[in-house]
Amino acid sequence: MYRYILMREQRITDINMESFLHTNHDQGVSILADAIEYSKINEASYLSADNFQRYRTIMHFFYQQHRKMNDLLYRGDVLEYMQSLAGFADYSEKELDQDLTSLVGWQNLETRQEMSEPKSIAEYKNKHFRYQISETSIAIEEMLEKLSGKTGHSRGALDKNTFERFLSAIRELDQQSDEKELFNIWQDTVTHFTSIKNNTSDYIGYLNSERTESQMQTEAFLVFKDQFVFYLRDFIVTMQNTSYQIQHALQGVSKEKLLLVARCVVNHEKEIPRFDETVLDEGKLTAELFGIWDTMLAWFIDGQGKSSEYSSLMKQTNQAISKITRMIQRFSDRMQQHQSRKKDYIHLADWFLNCRSVEEAHQLSSQVFGAFHSQHYYVKPSETSNKFADIWDIPATVHETIPRIRAYRERTSATAFTRNTQAKKEAVAAHLKQRQELEKSLQHYIQNGKIDLIEHPFMDASIRKLLLKWLSLSFQNEERTIATEFGQIFAIKVDRSVKVRLESEDGFLEMPNVVYMLIDKENTGGDRNAGKQ
């Protein structure tokens, strides 16, 4: 594109003015019209603006992240990068907002609003944006990089099949050892991941755009409601079926395999004949490959205190379904307000007319209208926080009816605040005593450093509930380990091929056999799962 523009500018510049004046009128008009087609390129304004150094630094950072396939950035990421550079230590958030606003106005950056439910008025007013470099700005940065003697690379829909192809490529990458095949598989992996990242982001942005939301407000949207909901739900089901497999496959690729892939990429670049004498930067290519791989890991796997793009995509897709469902319900309520039920009532009357007896009419009435004298009961919320408490152990609820008259007012009287210090101490002591008894009872079930359910056909209900709670918590990590409230660490193994029957004083439970292996805390590097209790 730039070569074409430069050639046309050079052609107009090289025209001899004297010969131009002697040409015929039509030819002159044609050349002038050709020149009028050019207009000011707003996207290039940041190269010559007053604060061009700040603008170019921000745009180069966005371009570097684009090369690593990390397109959508938060303003905090940009601020952290700018303050880490020499000469920008005093760079403030106010200056960042001004620079981002200018770059968005010049169409160098595109904004994407996060789909989230606001929890306060401030969150509703302050829209949460993420920024992405535009296609024109990518081309400008590539041109600048080429001019500086460097090499550059050029750079929806919810396609469920792309996830399956990406999973297949990751597995082939881990199993393949041939260098040529490794390079081809790596190219396929990057292509599939780019398609997933760009298409899903673009489609979510399309659903969240003002134009789409305005179209959802019209009744014409009802024609496409089923197609929208089915499309989104089908995509969610496919993602849920493949996400864990993709996470496991990504974590299974070793660093040595990635270094081998990087060597294949470098060898492929060396085999390409080039006329320039640019020295191939092998370290840069390797760093870019590992940057792309880190982006893949961050896209599918939650990090420390930061949710992955996959989790965000699942949340935003579910929110889109909820929004569409609310739109449908709103239209349905609006249409039912003006809809006549005359035909429905006539049809019901025909049903009752064709009944052969009064008993049959009573049965039909119970199905159509329900019970005429149903009783509604009001109860207060449970006063206990123990989810294992039985209903007969909870004290009965006393409900006082209030007269439904306007003149009624409840009697109020000033009461003193009492400190139940002694009751609190007694409750804490009772809780500690119950915990000590539970820990003492648990020791009887630990035999040879393990608890095997098949060896204990009868156990106390309190121990059974405790073991089931540990089993539920163990599914939150892949290692199937759990740190208990008693300072112990157990590795839990479930044998689905063997069934056990646990009997207690309150009944029996049939379930797969579970073995709780006691692990030495020193051999596990400390209490890894304490934060999950």
Side-chain angles (χ1 to χ4, degrees), residues 176-365:
Q176 187 60 247
S177 59
D178 184 75
E179 291 192 3
K180 292 185 178 180
E181 291 296 330
L182 266 179
F183 176 79
N184 295 331
I185 296 173
W186 171 251
Q187 293 294 101
D188 294 340
T189 304
V190 174
T191 301
H192 297 325
F193 177 70
T194 305
S195 178
I196 290 174
K197 180 174 60 66
N198 294 338
N199 290 339
T200 54
S201 176
D202 292 343
Y203 194 79
I204 293 299
Y206 163 74
L207 289 180
N208 196 34
S209 62
E210 295 182 359
R211 180 179 178 183
T212 304
E213 290 186 357
S214 62
Q215 291 177 347
M216 288 183 181
Q217 304 291 337
T218 62
E219 295 184 2
F221 176 70
L222 294 175
V223 180
F224 306 98
K225 62 181 179 63
D226 294 333
Q227 183 180 358
F228 260 106
V229 174
F230 176 78
Y231 184 72
L232 294 176
R233 286 179 177 171
D234 189 32
F235 176 73
I236 289 177
V237 170
T238 304
M239 279 208 309
Q240 290 176 340
N241 292 336
T242 58
S243 61
Y244 179 76
Q245 302 179 46
I246 292 176
Q247 294 173 6
H248 183 72
L250 288 172
Q251 293 175 338
V253 179
S254 62
K255 184 178 180 180
E256 291 75 13
K257 176 64 72 172
L258 293 177
L259 290 174
L260 179 60
V261 175
R263 189 174 65 195
C264 296
V265 174
V266 171
N267 293 337
H268 178 77
E269 290 291 330
K270 289 181 179 180
E271 292 176 356
I272 301 176
R274 304 184 187 277
F275 292 101
D276 54 1
E277 298 181 357
T278 304
V279 179
L280 184 64
D281 192 347
E282 299 182 7
K284 182 179 179 181
L285 290 176
T286 303
E288 287 182 2
L289 186 142
F290 275 89
I292 293 174
W293 186 258
D294 291 339
T295 304
M296 292 180 184
L297 292 175
W299 209 95
F300 285 97
I301 303 175
D302 294 338
Q304 297 179 352
K306 186 176 181 181
S307 60
S308 62
E309 293 294 332
Y310 163 77
S311 301
S312 176
L313 179 62
M314 288 288 293
K315 180 179 178 181
Q316 295 183 55
T317 309
N318 284 318
Q319 289 177 355
I321 294 177
S322 301
K323 181 171 67 175
I324 293 173
T325 305
R326 289 195 299 269
M327 294 287 184
I328 298 171
Q329 183 65 35
R330 191 176 305 163
F331 281 124
S332 300
D333 295 341
R334 187 186 307 170
M335 294 176 63
Q336 288 179 1
Q337 291 177 0
H338 307 283
Q339 185 177 1
S340 174
R341 303 293 302 275
K342 179 179 179 180
K343 294 182 178 180
D344 296 339
Y345 293 142
I346 293 176
H347 190 66
L348 287 176
D350 289 337
W351 281 1
F352 281 101
L353 181 62
N354 296 327
C355 290
R356 291 168 293 185
S357 62
V358 177
E359 289 75 12
E360 186 178 352
H362 288 328
Q363 294 178 2
L364 178 60
S365 175

